[in-house]
């Protein structure tokens, strides 16, 4: 349902806090739409990992609303999109960054020294569709692998570092091997269908 209100604050439930907001044109009508990053505010979900680092395990989410005259129209409200990630049984916070550019929403989820994932969405027929998915893998302080799934070009591109040891120990310039292949899929994923981003297995949605 696409709810309408004179204030986007109507779409914010009491159990979440707004951690970031950004305005920009999403649907191409020249008006400033809004995207909100949210975080549930359960104090019991703030813990420490084995290194003594404070970890906020509250789920994080997204609210997207389009500007329509004097009103806002709700496109998406999901309050459990991202959770802290684990590596070798240790829990770490992730960092979320968002931007609106060329009528697209770019959402970057960083896993610190381990890498991150970038999701790009475009508005189509009242839904936010995933048009590119990019994953970065970091090891020993360098990006050892980058994978881009472009659903518009129907193409998968992988850049893989072939001289990690030389870069780390001999300060050599990074050399990447690039491979490309065509992909097919039945339809684009929507933001609502993804739901929990940290559990998304993108390999299931193309062939």
């Amino acid at each position: 349902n696409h709810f309408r209100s004179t204030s986007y604050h109507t779409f914010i439930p009491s159990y979440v806090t707004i951690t970031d907001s950004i305005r920009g044109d999403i649907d191409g009508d020249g008006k400033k739409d809004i995207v909100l990053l949210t975080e549930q505010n359960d104090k019991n979900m703030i813990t420490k990992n084995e290194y003594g680092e404070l970890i906020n395990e509250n789920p994080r989410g997204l609210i997207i609303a389009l500007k329509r005259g004097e009103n806002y129209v709700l496109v998406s409200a999901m309050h459990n999109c991202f959770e802290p990630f684990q590596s070798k049984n240790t829990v770490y916070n992730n960092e979320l960054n968002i931007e609106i550019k060329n009528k697209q929403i770019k959402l970057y989820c960083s896993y610190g020294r381990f890498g991150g994932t970038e999701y790009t969405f475009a508005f189509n027929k009242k839904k936010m569709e995933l048009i590119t998915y990019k994953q970065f893998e970091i090891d020993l302080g360098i990006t050892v692998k980058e994978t881009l799934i472009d659903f518009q070009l129907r193409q998968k591109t992988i850049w893989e570092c072939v001289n990690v040891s030389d870069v780390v120990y001999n300060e050599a310039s990074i050399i990447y091997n690039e491979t490309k292949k065509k992909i097919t899929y039945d339809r684009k994923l929507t933001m609502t269908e993804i739901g929990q981003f940290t559990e998304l297995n993108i390999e299931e949605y193309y062939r």
Side-chain angles (χ1 to χ4, degrees):
N1 294 326
H2 292 261
F3 300 103
R4 183 181 296 267
S5 175
T6 55
S7 172
Y8 64 81
H9 291 281
T10 305
F11 309 135
I12 306 171
S14 59
Y15 60 87
V16 305
T17 301
I18 301 303
T19 60
D20 197 7
S21 65
I22 187 168
R23 295 177 185 269
D25 185 15
I26 296 172
D27 58 346
D29 64 358
K31 295 182 173 63
K32 295 290 187 181
D33 309 309
I34 191 164
V35 180
L36 307 171
L37 289 179
T38 68
E39 185 175 84
Q40 294 186 31
N41 48 30
D42 185 352
K43 294 180 180 179
N44 295 320
M45 295 295 286
I46 299 177
T47 61
K48 288 185 178 181
N49 64 15
E50 64 180 75
Y51 299 111
E53 300 169 330
L54 279 177
I55 304 297
N56 189 342
E57 297 193 56
N58 277 294
R60 302 167 81 178
L62 287 164
I63 297 174
I64 300 172
L66 302 179
K67 186 69 172 170
R68 290 282 191 269
E70 298 300 316
N71 297 312
Y72 284 93
V73 176
L74 182 66
V75 173
S76 180
M78 304 185 301
H79 305 299
N80 187 16
C81 297
F82 295 93
E83 295 180 345
F85 69 98
Q86 293 190 24
S87 177
K88 297 179 180 178
N89 298 319
T90 300
V91 181
Y92 297 89
N93 284 318
N94 50 35
E95 295 181 13
L96 298 180
N97 292 290
I98 195 163
E99 69 172 326
I100 299 173
K101 188 176 182 180
N102 299 326
K103 296 181 290 187
Q104 299 172 352
I105 296 175
K106 287 187 179 293
L107 178 62
Y108 183 69
C109 181
S110 170
Y111 305 121
R113 66 178 185 271
F114 301 99
T117 307
E118 182 184 271
Y119 311 82
T120 304
F121 293 91
F123 184 74
N124 183 35
K125 298 179 181 178
K126 299 183 179 181
K127 297 179 180 179
M128 300 305 305
E129 293 182 337
L130 182 67
I131 58 173
T132 66
Y133 172 96
K134 186 184 291 185
Q135 187 175 58
F136 307 85
E137 298 176 27
I138 296 176
D139 190 21
L140 299 174
I142 64 172
T143 301
V144 295
K145 187 177 182 181
E146 183 177 334
T147 303
L148 172 63
I149 312 297
D150 191 319
F151 291 99
Q152 292 183 307
L153 296 178
R154 297 178 180 267
Q155 182 171 276
K156 177 179 182 177
T157 307
I158 297 175
W159 296 270
E160 196 158 9
C161 180
V162 295
N163 63 333
V164 176
S165 295
D166 279 345
V167 173
V168 174
Y169 300 111
N170 301 321
E171 299 183 355
S173 297
I174 300 176
I175 299 173
Y176 287 103
N177 180 52
E178 179 185 274
T179 57
K180 293 183 178 183
K181 62 176 280 189
K182 287 295 182 181
I183 63 170
T184 60
Y185 58 90
D186 297 323
R187 60 182 177 83
K188 293 186 179 76
L189 270 174
T190 67
M191 184 178 286
T192 304
E193 287 174 327
I194 292 174
Q196 175 54 262
F197 282 63
T198 46
E199 295 180 358
L200 173 64
N201 181 4
I202 196 67
E203 303 289 336
E204 295 179 356
Y205 297 97
Y206 68 87
R207 52 194 180 273

